[in-house]
Amino acid sequence: MVELYLGIDFGTSGARAIVIDGEKSIVASTSAKFIDIAPNQLAQIWQATLYKLILQLPVEIRKQLKAIAINGTSSTVLLCDATGKPITAPLLYNDSKAKEVLAEIEAIAPKDHVVISATSSLAKLLWWQQQPYFTQARYLLHQADWLAYLLHGKLGISDYHNALKLGYDVNNFNYPDWLQNLPCSRLYPQVLPPGAPVGEITPENGDRFDIAPNCVICTGTTDSIAAFLASGASQPGEAVTSLGSTLVLKLLSKTKVSASKYGIYSHRLGQLWLTGGASNTGGAVLRHFFDEQQLEDLSRQINPDVISPLEYYPLLKPGDRFPVNNPNLPPQLEPRPTNSVDFLHGLLESVSRIEKLGYQKLQELGASKLTHIYTAGGGAENAVWRKIRQRHLKVPVSKATNTQAAYGTALLAAGKSIIKVH
């Protein structure tokens, strides 16, 4: 019997499942939108979507599944009781109501630590600690942790990607003393490497989904790291640039790099580190001036070997953090030529310069030397822009092998990613 591996990606509006074989080829995929996004029903919606996704896969595929892993959005968390039932609505990755506890975190956390953010998992836990229902809580779980629990039935288990923003020390593989001394430390999950086997699927779920009883459920990861794992990047110096609404850079490095003032921190990937930062420039600025068809038509008229004399800092509103750390940085979009081809050329050239500055900043801070860039996001389709970027970056720039986070998570389940735990 062929052994198959299932990766599931949970996003903000829906989820996707991809099944691969031992040769890393996709053999099945499916997706589902969240039917309703009422906050007080969100966990139930996630559960229903998880079950729906699996049941949408052909039964002959399900019967051959050897392992399953799930990714979720970073810092999306739940409070659960002793039976695994959520006691309140989850807090999403971008929920910042915990800003009122930031002073408390700053008083205990090391300077510039990644948890010093209103949206960190730790900030949300400390905010919850002040709520009357907190006494019912027994486990803090991330989105991916809880969804995996629904399949393997073991409570209180996470991975070191999701647990980073809870304060877990990925250097020493433990919770540091300043975290263990907090009253809420009893809720912390046990942390394993991403992709580590947790347990076989429960008999109830095996029957429900026609999945063999020896199918193993593994720890997961975050959605952005899953997308990196899907890209094909695997060696120090290889990077992924996501040209979506914003410009996001991720560089695989032998050394860990952190610089909170630039929004830079590093995730552990096995024996390597994934370091990166995000700029507010990117596709959202392009789409402010041009629709998709115009971008396609005008790009074809640009000679990528010619340097545009226009030097912009394309932003929709003031402020950037990486590679320029200035909350008041003004958008620079002048002078604007009357010819739309020239204007777009200037924008593409300028975003490329910012990308170059970003990778220079990561390397100045100690990351491995850049050798190859894989491109994801909508901008990956623009061949002219890719040539402009390659001229600036002076390394090969290619489209990512796969941009689906569910594919990266399937690789994790199969033990085929650069994180080796099986």
Side-chain angles (χ1 to χ4, degrees), residues 341-398:
V341 175
D342 291 341
F343 183 47
L344 178 59
H345 189 181
L347 291 173
L348 297 181
E349 193 93 39
S350 297
V351 175
S352 302
R353 290 191 190 100
I354 294 170
E355 180 184 7
K356 177 184 176 181
L357 282 174
Y359 281 118
Q360 285 178 343
K361 176 64 68 177
L362 294 176
Q363 290 168 97
E364 286 169 10
L365 293 169
S368 293
K369 180 177 169 57
L370 182 68
T371 61
H372 190 121
I373 296 174
Y374 297 89
T375 311
E381 303 300 326
N382 191 322
V384 169
W385 197 4
R386 185 162 62 248
K387 290 177 182 176
I388 292 173
R389 293 168 53 230
Q390 187 161 289
R391 169 162 49 79
H392 280 280
L393 294 157
K394 295 181 169 50
V395 297
V397 177
S398 56

Side-chain angles (χ1 to χ4, degrees), residues 70-73 76 78 142-149 159 162 220-221:
I70 302 173
N71 79 67
T73 50
T76 293
L78 304 88
H142 298 86
Q143 181 184 34
D145 308 338
W146 185 72
L147 290 165
Y149 149 72
D159 64 88
N162 277 293
T221 183

Side-chain angles (χ1 to χ4, degrees), residues 150-195:
L150 295 177
L151 299 180
H152 58 57
K154 298 177 187 293
L155 276 164
I157 297 174
S158 186
D159 64 88
Y160 60 60
H161 289 161
N162 277 293
L164 183 75
K165 293 181 183 177
L166 181 57
Y168 185 79
D169 184 345
V170 293
N171 280 314
N172 299 305
F173 300 107
N174 61 18
Y175 289 106
D177 289 344
W178 61 269
L179 264 183
Q180 294 192 35
N181 294 334
L182 297 179
C184 57
S185 62
R186 61 185 176 81
L187 274 69
Y188 300 160
Q190 175 189 357
V191 179
L192 302 175

Side-chain angles (χ1 to χ4, degrees), residues 44 77 93-94 126 227 240 273 318 342 354 379:
Q44 294 91 323
V77 286
Y93 68 99
N94 59 352
L126 295 184
V240 172
W273 298 93
D342 291 341
I354 294 170

Side-chain angles (χ1 to χ4, degrees), residues 30 53 63 103 115 135 141 208 279 287 312 322 385 416:
T30 187
L53 268 183
K63 287 181 175 178
V115 298
T135 55
L141 294 175
R208 175 188 287 134
S279 170
R287 288 193 298 274
Y312 300 140
F322 173 85
W385 197 4
K416 303 288 185 182

